Amino acid sequence: MVSLKENINLLSKIATSNQHGENSPYFDGWKAYDQDPFHLTGNPNGVIQMGLAENQLSPDLIEKWIVKNPKSSICTEDGVDQFKDIANFQDYHGLYEFRKAIAHFMGKVRGNRVTFDPDRIVMGGGATGASESLMFCLADPGDGFLIPTPYYPAFDRDLRWRTGVQLVPIICNSSNEFKITQEALESSYKNAIESNIQIKGLIVANPSNPLGTTMDKETLKTLLRFINDKNIHLVCDEIYAATVFNTPDFISISEVLEEMEHPINHELVHIIYSLSKDMGLPGFRVGILYSYNDGVVSCARKMSSFGLISSQTQYFLASILSDESFVEDFLRESSRRLAKRHKFFTQGLEKVGITCLASNAGLFVWMDLRKLMKKPTFDEEMALWRLIIHDVKLNVSPGSSFHCVEPGWFRVCFANMDDQAVDIALERIHAFVKKGKENKVATTKNRKNKPFQKKLRLSFSSRLYDETMLMSPRTMSPHSPFARSPLVKAST
Amino acid sequence: MVSLKENINLLSKIATSNQHGENSPYFDGWKAYDQDPFHLTGNPNGVIQMGLAENQLSPDLIEKWIVKNPKSSICTEDGVDQFKDIANFQDYHGLYEFRKAIAHFMGKVRGNRVTFDPDRIVMGGGATGASESLMFCLADPGDGFLIPTPYYPAFDRDLRWRTGVQLVPIICNSSNEFKITQEALESSYKNAIESNIQIKGLIVANPSNPLGTTMDKETLKTLLRFINDKNIHLVCDEIYAATVFNTPDFISISEVLEEMEHPINHELVHIIYSLSKDMGLPGFRVGILYSYNDGVVSCARKMSSFGLISSQTQYFLASILSDESFVEDFLRESSRRLAKRHKFFTQGLEKVGITCLASNAGLFVWMDLRKLMKKPTFDEEMALWRLIIHDVKLNVSPGSSFHCVEPGWFRVCFANMDDQAVDIALERIHAFVKKGKENKVATTKNRKNKPFQKKLRLSFSSRLYDETMLMSPRTMSPHSPFARSPLVKAST
């Protein structure tokens, strides 16, 4: 057997470079969960997975539909007549019925205020594969894409790893609820040019992962004017479009594009979509690239060959998504359940003074634990994260893994578990905070003998933090460094 | 809207380079078919698709199994209990039951003479995606892979387009039935080194597409010794393994690897597999990379994210492939049907003196039409191909699109149609040859007035060729330039 060193010579730079980004705490947390997964009866003290943005609140709706529609699958007695044709179907355009149904669904999710052309629907292997193909179409190795922080950690893998594209951060922070500004865009662009990086585009996620917020119309217009002025691409990742559970409603870039007062070059605009989040079907690997650029549609379609959606899955989805009445009911009910869960979870956090960025979408909250840290550093954030993973036994994801520039934020997923697991997670958080309070008293008394920082990374019992962490924003002292934080109670 | 020229600046080199190889006649033939597709009743004079290597002879066996096994799909009333867990499953290792079942299936297809480890099964988006991921793991842009000619045209897209890898031909020809020799390997390797191309490996298809032949043990040993001596990779594309319908039996590289007398570095060996051909399921996009190299398994598994197999499909396949008795019956019956079709088709060709390379596998034959060409040039081959597409209305694929160095060979697929379509295809070929005979007499008489070459590309009626084309090899004059051709009647 060859050694690792020999393998480095045998394999590619891509294989040996670790540019896949899977060494981030984001993925480490998953490993901790994998080693000791919570189960209500089987392993009630295990780690609860709150690092996975899955939508598991509404599969029962789809299950009911399946039972009523035995013809929707080629693997049933009722549907098997279609088996031969569908199992053989490998055209990289995709089943026309599938493209038509998903284009219509995309319009519905966007309030029917915009329509999508089935002939611009390009299939990809999940949003992951669709995003990578788009990068291959738009940029050469070394080219840069601007991206607002914080952003989805796996973009480092999806967009950069095999394409050689660079991601250039646009710094956003809590002073304006992490919104993208014209100034931040220009500054980031200017810095890139000065560093000799050719900027080919801007990529944004709307609704945002990890923020759970949606962009307002003015921001979207700012983005369009910016990319049009610079003659660079705009990629909008809208895979959480139907997870919007509260006002304001979701506004797609496609809607704003059509109503801009001054002309925007449509060929610069591309949308990434998926059914993983909105329908809770990540296993089905439905990635969609919708581009207003004919050259991109044509090229990306050829690239579809590397990640076509299984025709078995296309057939099923064409059938279910074409059921107007089901789709309407599903979208309404899914949104209602997400709202309910979000409200329950954020109110549970607020009981012990933990707040989150106000949000109206997504399968997660952006939780502010800055008050739990003695110093606003990423070392402290990591120490706190280890405590949460190993002592509190919740797998949440630290802000640093999302390239957030402010330490102390954590993404916490709330839609991938049942009510009982949420109850237990909240109980654990309550106990953690309560214990912190008690320890604070004890530790203050013994401070001279036992400097608290020594054991900071080992266990919660030795951890001290400001009392402000136990207070809701409304009761915080106006002199607290966090008093001017943008955080407000998440409304539902 | 921007012009194409402007798009060239906006898009990547990959998007604007045409390196996808889809401008080859291989794909052009498909377009001709698409514009005028044959249908027994709806369009009986349309183009018959013989350019598509699909296995449509045995879907009825799978259909019967489906009806008997309603639990095998998560989209049935009987299987819906599994819906939630499976639709959510997105682990890039794949469902363990799926990996186990396909590893076992791979062993069965190889006569149970070798076993495969489920933990080395890596999923890809079809063989297309799996092959590309392997290239990304093994080679940097500019690196070369040796490949024997003729080879599958879409390798130019799959292996090169986005990876930047170069394919360096190993010249094979009919003098030894297109077999790979030690000399050809060494010569190709030496030429590449002299051209400053770093060779990272050798890729072969066994059974061969387009030849329909399998490699003997001695050849496989030669390949292993060669790559081991050079310390380069060996990639074996075995996606046609279960299409072997006649002796000799299929021998996998994995079998030979285990019985080599002198030690071979296993970490250099990788297998590409798929269910598209062997089970006739191209729509399901099941690509498998099986590597003996831990580093490649680990890296390619991360790349699985770009082309995971739909979990709905994994679940169904885990179920059907785990049915030992079904699998055995299926493999036996599928092979029997392929043998029968192959025999019928090749005997039909022989009736008018057309022979094929002797073959024992695949969904196609490698048809020798060298005798139909006045000169052994690729211009003549293309003229003949256009005649076949437009006049005879059969979409076959010219050898040049497979990078064959000898003009006059054509790949003809025989398993993607029903018996009636085969009858009609053979009738058309018979008529074509008969008309050629008659025209030969007429044209010879009028030669001085109407030079035949002028209309060569326009219609069959003005085409002349040697009478030898109408003779079987056994009756050819020993002085004919084709008398020493390797072609023998395809045995069944």
Side-chain angles (χ1 to χ4, degrees), chain A residues 22 82 85 155 174 179 206 219 222 276 284 300 354 357 365-366 381 391 395 410 413 424 454:
Chain A
E22 292 199 10
Q82 296 294 313
D85 288 342
F155 274 157
S174 60
K179 281 181 184 155
N206 179 35
T219 303
T222 301
S276 300
F284 284 14
I354 295 175
L357 183 75
V365 287
W366 190 234
E381 179 179 288
D391 287 16
N395 176 32
F410 293 79
C413 299
I424 294 169
K454 274 194 181 165

PDB file of all heavy atoms in Angstrom, chain A residues 22 82 85 155 174 179 206 219 222 276 284 300 354 357 365-366 381 391 395 410 413 424 454:
ATOM      1  N   GLU A  22     -14.433  20.752   4.225  1.00  0.00           N
ATOM      2  CA  GLU A  22     -15.160  19.911   5.170  1.00  0.00           C
ATOM      3  C   GLU A  22     -14.438  19.767   6.503  1.00  0.00           C
ATOM      4  O   GLU A  22     -14.825  18.967   7.350  1.00  0.00           O
ATOM      5  CB  GLU A  22     -15.468  18.543   4.547  1.00  0.00           C
ATOM      6  CG  GLU A  22     -16.466  18.684   3.428  1.00  0.00           C
ATOM      7  CD  GLU A  22     -17.169  17.383   3.071  1.00  0.00           C
ATOM      8  OE1 GLU A  22     -17.021  16.397   3.801  1.00  0.00           O
ATOM      9  OE2 GLU A  22     -17.865  17.387   2.047  1.00  0.00           O
ATOM     10  N   GLN A  82     -45.783   2.756 -17.238  1.00  0.00           N
ATOM     11  CA  GLN A  82     -44.841   3.805 -17.658  1.00  0.00           C
ATOM     12  C   GLN A  82     -43.394   3.421 -17.379  1.00  0.00           C
ATOM     13  O   GLN A  82     -42.477   4.167 -17.728  1.00  0.00           O
ATOM     14  CB  GLN A  82     -45.149   5.105 -16.887  1.00  0.00           C
ATOM     15  CG  GLN A  82     -46.516   5.687 -17.193  1.00  0.00           C
ATOM     16  CD  GLN A  82     -46.593   6.163 -18.624  1.00  0.00           C
ATOM     17  OE1 GLN A  82     -45.701   6.841 -19.095  1.00  0.00           O
ATOM     18  NE2 GLN A  82     -47.643   5.777 -19.336  1.00  0.00           N
ATOM     19  N   ASP A  85     -40.619   3.306 -20.384  1.00  0.00           N
ATOM     20  CA  ASP A  85     -40.271   4.590 -20.998  1.00  0.00           C
ATOM     21  C   ASP A  85     -39.533   5.514 -20.032  1.00  0.00           C
ATOM     22  O   ASP A  85     -38.592   6.208 -20.414  1.00  0.00           O
ATOM     23  CB  ASP A  85     -41.542   5.296 -21.512  1.00  0.00           C
ATOM     24  CG  ASP A  85     -42.084   4.595 -22.751  1.00  0.00           C
ATOM     25  OD1 ASP A  85     -41.320   3.826 -23.372  1.00  0.00           O
ATOM     26  OD2 ASP A  85     -43.263   4.808 -23.083  1.00  0.00           O
ATOM     27  N   PHE A 155     -20.840  26.375   0.503  1.00  0.00           N
ATOM     28  CA  PHE A 155     -20.509  27.107  -0.725  1.00  0.00           C
ATOM     29  C   PHE A 155     -19.012  27.003  -1.030  1.00  0.00           C
ATOM     30  O   PHE A 155     -18.607  27.029  -2.189  1.00  0.00           O
ATOM     31  CB  PHE A 155     -20.885  28.589  -0.598  1.00  0.00           C
ATOM     32  CG  PHE A 155     -22.312  28.898  -0.966  1.00  0.00           C
ATOM     33  CD1 PHE A 155     -22.934  30.036  -0.466  1.00  0.00           C
ATOM     34  CD2 PHE A 155     -23.039  28.081  -1.823  1.00  0.00           C
ATOM     35  CE1 PHE A 155     -24.247  30.350  -0.802  1.00  0.00           C
ATOM     36  CE2 PHE A 155     -24.356  28.382  -2.169  1.00  0.00           C
ATOM     37  CZ  PHE A 155     -24.954  29.519  -1.654  1.00  0.00           C
ATOM     38  N   SER A 174     -24.064  43.058  12.346  1.00  0.00           N
ATOM     39  CA  SER A 174     -25.327  43.215  13.060  1.00  0.00           C
ATOM     40  C   SER A 174     -25.779  44.671  13.175  1.00  0.00           C
ATOM     41  O   SER A 174     -26.918  44.937  13.538  1.00  0.00           O
ATOM     42  CB  SER A 174     -25.218  42.592  14.450  1.00  0.00           C
ATOM     43  OG  SER A 174     -24.194  43.235  15.190  1.00  0.00           O
ATOM     44  N   LYS A 179     -27.671  43.408   6.708  1.00  0.00           N
ATOM     45  CA  LYS A 179     -28.149  43.727   5.357  1.00  0.00           C
ATOM     46  C   LYS A 179     -26.995  44.140   4.450  1.00  0.00           C
ATOM     47  O   LYS A 179     -26.007  44.713   4.905  1.00  0.00           O
ATOM     48  CB  LYS A 179     -29.191  44.847   5.412  1.00  0.00           C
ATOM     49  CG  LYS A 179     -30.554  44.337   5.846  1.00  0.00           C
ATOM     50  CD  LYS A 179     -31.583  45.447   5.876  1.00  0.00           C
ATOM     51  CE  LYS A 179     -32.909  44.927   6.409  1.00  0.00           C
ATOM     52  NZ  LYS A 179     -33.722  45.984   7.009  1.00  0.00           N
ATOM     53  N   ASN A 206     -31.289  34.245  -0.963  1.00  0.00           N
ATOM     54  CA  ASN A 206     -32.504  34.955  -0.555  1.00  0.00           C
ATOM     55  C   ASN A 206     -33.683  33.994  -0.644  1.00  0.00           C
ATOM     56  O   ASN A 206     -34.040  33.594  -1.740  1.00  0.00           O
ATOM     57  CB  ASN A 206     -32.733  36.166  -1.478  1.00  0.00           C
ATOM     58  CG  ASN A 206     -34.001  36.928  -1.111  1.00  0.00           C
ATOM     59  OD1 ASN A 206     -34.354  37.027   0.057  1.00  0.00           O
ATOM     60  ND2 ASN A 206     -34.696  37.457  -2.119  1.00  0.00           N
ATOM     61  N   THR A 219     -33.268  46.536  -1.631  1.00  0.00           N
ATOM     62  CA  THR A 219     -31.961  45.852  -1.653  1.00  0.00           C
ATOM     63  C   THR A 219     -31.778  45.100  -2.967  1.00  0.00           C
ATOM     64  O   THR A 219     -30.708  45.146  -3.585  1.00  0.00           O
ATOM     65  CB  THR A 219     -31.851  44.888  -0.462  1.00  0.00           C
ATOM     66  OG1 THR A 219     -32.042  45.621   0.746  1.00  0.00           O
ATOM     67  CG2 THR A 219     -30.487  44.210  -0.420  1.00  0.00           C
ATOM     68  N   THR A 222     -30.904  47.443  -5.607  1.00  0.00           N
ATOM     69  CA  THR A 222     -29.503  47.858  -5.445  1.00  0.00           C
ATOM     70  C   THR A 222     -28.562  46.820  -6.064  1.00  0.00           C
ATOM     71  O   THR A 222     -27.607  47.160  -6.775  1.00  0.00           O
ATOM     72  CB  THR A 222     -29.169  48.037  -3.950  1.00  0.00           C
ATOM     73  OG1 THR A 222     -30.047  49.020  -3.406  1.00  0.00           O
ATOM     74  CG2 THR A 222     -27.724  48.474  -3.744  1.00  0.00           C
ATOM     75  N   SER A 276     -35.297  20.582  -1.977  1.00  0.00           N
ATOM     76  CA  SER A 276     -34.789  19.999  -0.731  1.00  0.00           C
ATOM     77  C   SER A 276     -35.367  20.675   0.492  1.00  0.00           C
ATOM     78  O   SER A 276     -35.721  20.020   1.473  1.00  0.00           O
ATOM     79  CB  SER A 276     -33.267  20.096  -0.699  1.00  0.00           C
ATOM     80  OG  SER A 276     -32.708  19.395  -1.785  1.00  0.00           O
ATOM     81  N   PHE A 284     -34.068  13.487  -2.831  1.00  0.00           N
ATOM     82  CA  PHE A 284     -34.444  13.336  -4.241  1.00  0.00           C
ATOM     83  C   PHE A 284     -33.506  14.070  -5.188  1.00  0.00           C
ATOM     84  O   PHE A 284     -33.588  13.910  -6.392  1.00  0.00           O
ATOM     85  CB  PHE A 284     -35.889  13.818  -4.455  1.00  0.00           C
ATOM     86  CG  PHE A 284     -36.935  12.852  -3.952  1.00  0.00           C
ATOM     87  CD1 PHE A 284     -36.595  11.788  -3.113  1.00  0.00           C
ATOM     88  CD2 PHE A 284     -38.266  12.992  -4.310  1.00  0.00           C
ATOM     89  CE1 PHE A 284     -37.559  10.891  -2.648  1.00  0.00           C
ATOM     90  CE2 PHE A 284     -39.237  12.103  -3.858  1.00  0.00           C
ATOM     91  CZ  PHE A 284     -38.885  11.059  -3.026  1.00  0.00           C
ATOM     92  N   ALA A 300     -25.115  24.846 -19.562  1.00  0.00           N
ATOM     93  CA  ALA A 300     -25.429  24.141 -18.315  1.00  0.00           C
ATOM     94  C   ALA A 300     -26.239  22.878 -18.596  1.00  0.00           C
ATOM     95  O   ALA A 300     -26.131  21.890 -17.893  1.00  0.00           O
ATOM     96  CB  ALA A 300     -26.195  25.058 -17.370  1.00  0.00           C
ATOM     97  N   ILE A 354     -32.225  34.444  25.777  1.00  0.00           N
ATOM     98  CA  ILE A 354     -31.472  34.287  24.523  1.00  0.00           C
ATOM     99  C   ILE A 354     -32.322  34.799  23.368  1.00  0.00           C
ATOM    100  O   ILE A 354     -33.477  34.399  23.218  1.00  0.00           O
ATOM    101  CB  ILE A 354     -31.092  32.806  24.284  1.00  0.00           C
ATOM    102  CG1 ILE A 354     -30.124  32.343  25.378  1.00  0.00           C
ATOM    103  CG2 ILE A 354     -30.458  32.629  22.909  1.00  0.00           C
ATOM    104  CD1 ILE A 354     -29.782  30.872  25.323  1.00  0.00           C
ATOM    105  N   LEU A 357     -31.717  36.902  15.743  1.00  0.00           N
ATOM    106  CA  LEU A 357     -31.999  37.922  14.738  1.00  0.00           C
ATOM    107  C   LEU A 357     -33.454  37.740  14.277  1.00  0.00           C
ATOM    108  O   LEU A 357     -33.880  36.608  14.037  1.00  0.00           O
ATOM    109  CB  LEU A 357     -31.043  37.733  13.545  1.00  0.00           C
ATOM    110  CG  LEU A 357     -31.141  38.770  12.426  1.00  0.00           C
ATOM    111  CD1 LEU A 357     -30.492  40.089  12.846  1.00  0.00           C
ATOM    112  CD2 LEU A 357     -30.479  38.255  11.148  1.00  0.00           C
ATOM    113  N   VAL A 365     -32.656  29.549  13.127  1.00  0.00           N
ATOM    114  CA  VAL A 365     -32.542  30.926  13.624  1.00  0.00           C
ATOM    115  C   VAL A 365     -31.066  31.263  13.779  1.00  0.00           C
ATOM    116  O   VAL A 365     -30.216  30.383  13.886  1.00  0.00           O
ATOM    117  CB  VAL A 365     -33.265  31.111  14.982  1.00  0.00           C
ATOM    118  CG1 VAL A 365     -34.774  31.098  14.790  1.00  0.00           C
ATOM    119  CG2 VAL A 365     -32.829  30.066  15.996  1.00  0.00           C
ATOM    120  N   TRP A 366     -30.796  32.538  13.779  1.00  0.00           N
ATOM    121  CA  TRP A 366     -29.430  33.059  13.932  1.00  0.00           C
ATOM    122  C   TRP A 366     -29.363  33.591  15.363  1.00  0.00           C
ATOM    123  O   TRP A 366     -29.828  34.686  15.659  1.00  0.00           O
ATOM    124  CB  TRP A 366     -29.206  34.142  12.882  1.00  0.00           C
ATOM    125  CG  TRP A 366     -27.813  34.660  12.678  1.00  0.00           C
ATOM    126  CD1 TRP A 366     -27.428  35.971  12.719  1.00  0.00           C
ATOM    127  CD2 TRP A 366     -26.629  33.926  12.357  1.00  0.00           C
ATOM    128  NE1 TRP A 366     -26.099  36.096  12.440  1.00  0.00           N
ATOM    129  CE2 TRP A 366     -25.571  34.850  12.211  1.00  0.00           C
ATOM    130  CE3 TRP A 366     -26.346  32.561  12.176  1.00  0.00           C
ATOM    131  CZ2 TRP A 366     -24.260  34.461  11.901  1.00  0.00           C
ATOM    132  CZ3 TRP A 366     -25.050  32.181  11.865  1.00  0.00           C
ATOM    133  CH2 TRP A 366     -24.028  33.109  11.740  1.00  0.00           C
ATOM    134  N   GLU A 381     -15.656  31.988  20.829  1.00  0.00           N
ATOM    135  CA  GLU A 381     -16.808  31.388  20.149  1.00  0.00           C
ATOM    136  C   GLU A 381     -16.629  29.877  20.027  1.00  0.00           C
ATOM    137  O   GLU A 381     -17.558  29.106  20.289  1.00  0.00           O
ATOM    138  CB  GLU A 381     -16.972  32.010  18.754  1.00  0.00           C
ATOM    139  CG  GLU A 381     -18.140  31.417  17.975  1.00  0.00           C
ATOM    140  CD  GLU A 381     -18.309  32.057  16.591  1.00  0.00           C
ATOM    141  OE1 GLU A 381     -18.748  33.215  16.531  1.00  0.00           O
ATOM    142  OE2 GLU A 381     -18.000  31.396  15.582  1.00  0.00           O
ATOM    143  N   ASP A 391     -21.224  19.414  26.269  1.00  0.00           N
ATOM    144  CA  ASP A 391     -21.901  19.419  27.569  1.00  0.00           C
ATOM    145  C   ASP A 391     -23.418  19.560  27.427  1.00  0.00           C
ATOM    146  O   ASP A 391     -24.185  18.800  28.003  1.00  0.00           O
ATOM    147  CB  ASP A 391     -21.368  20.573  28.444  1.00  0.00           C
ATOM    148  CG  ASP A 391     -19.964  20.274  28.938  1.00  0.00           C
ATOM    149  OD1 ASP A 391     -19.326  19.368  28.362  1.00  0.00           O
ATOM    150  OD2 ASP A 391     -19.509  20.934  29.903  1.00  0.00           O
ATOM    151  N   ASN A 395     -25.995  19.939  18.707  1.00  0.00           N
ATOM    152  CA  ASN A 395     -25.138  20.324  17.605  1.00  0.00           C
ATOM    153  C   ASN A 395     -25.698  21.553  16.919  1.00  0.00           C
ATOM    154  O   ASN A 395     -26.635  21.465  16.125  1.00  0.00           O
ATOM    155  CB  ASN A 395     -24.979  19.205  16.580  1.00  0.00           C
ATOM    156  CG  ASN A 395     -24.163  19.678  15.387  1.00  0.00           C
ATOM    157  OD1 ASN A 395     -23.271  20.515  15.543  1.00  0.00           O
ATOM    158  ND2 ASN A 395     -24.483  19.185  14.200  1.00  0.00           N
ATOM    159  N   PHE A 410     -24.690  31.953  16.343  1.00  0.00           N
ATOM    160  CA  PHE A 410     -24.797  30.517  16.061  1.00  0.00           C
ATOM    161  C   PHE A 410     -26.063  30.249  15.252  1.00  0.00           C
ATOM    162  O   PHE A 410     -27.117  30.830  15.537  1.00  0.00           O
ATOM    163  CB  PHE A 410     -24.865  29.720  17.383  1.00  0.00           C
ATOM    164  CG  PHE A 410     -23.596  29.774  18.176  1.00  0.00           C
ATOM    165  CD1 PHE A 410     -23.288  30.890  18.952  1.00  0.00           C
ATOM    166  CD2 PHE A 410     -22.686  28.716  18.131  1.00  0.00           C
ATOM    167  CE1 PHE A 410     -22.099  30.956  19.676  1.00  0.00           C
ATOM    168  CE2 PHE A 410     -21.498  28.775  18.856  1.00  0.00           C
ATOM    169  CZ  PHE A 410     -21.199  29.899  19.629  1.00  0.00           C
ATOM    170  N   CYS A 413     -30.876  24.991  13.870  1.00  0.00           N
ATOM    171  CA  CYS A 413     -31.969  24.485  13.035  1.00  0.00           C
ATOM    172  C   CYS A 413     -33.090  23.968  13.918  1.00  0.00           C
ATOM    173  O   CYS A 413     -32.843  23.317  14.935  1.00  0.00           O
ATOM    174  CB  CYS A 413     -31.459  23.368  12.134  1.00  0.00           C
ATOM    175  SG  CYS A 413     -30.164  23.940  11.024  1.00  0.00           S
ATOM    176  N   ILE A 424     -36.935  18.883  24.608  1.00  0.00           N
ATOM    177  CA  ILE A 424     -35.716  18.455  25.305  1.00  0.00           C
ATOM    178  C   ILE A 424     -34.567  19.425  25.029  1.00  0.00           C
ATOM    179  O   ILE A 424     -33.806  19.775  25.934  1.00  0.00           O
ATOM    180  CB  ILE A 424     -35.362  17.009  24.919  1.00  0.00           C
ATOM    181  CG1 ILE A 424     -36.464  16.085  25.456  1.00  0.00           C
ATOM    182  CG2 ILE A 424     -33.997  16.596  25.474  1.00  0.00           C
ATOM    183  CD1 ILE A 424     -36.401  14.662  24.923  1.00  0.00           C
ATOM    184  N   LYS A 454      -9.333  28.956  32.888  1.00  0.00           N
ATOM    185  CA  LYS A 454      -8.537  27.750  32.666  1.00  0.00           C
ATOM    186  C   LYS A 454      -9.341  26.579  32.103  1.00  0.00           C
ATOM    187  O   LYS A 454      -8.855  25.827  31.289  1.00  0.00           O
ATOM    188  CB  LYS A 454      -7.880  27.319  33.990  1.00  0.00           C
ATOM    189  CG  LYS A 454      -6.571  28.036  34.231  1.00  0.00           C
ATOM    190  CD  LYS A 454      -5.789  27.366  35.334  1.00  0.00           C
ATOM    191  CE  LYS A 454      -4.496  28.118  35.581  1.00  0.00           C
ATOM    192  NZ  LYS A 454      -3.920  27.708  36.857  1.00  0.00           N
TER     193      LYS A 454
END
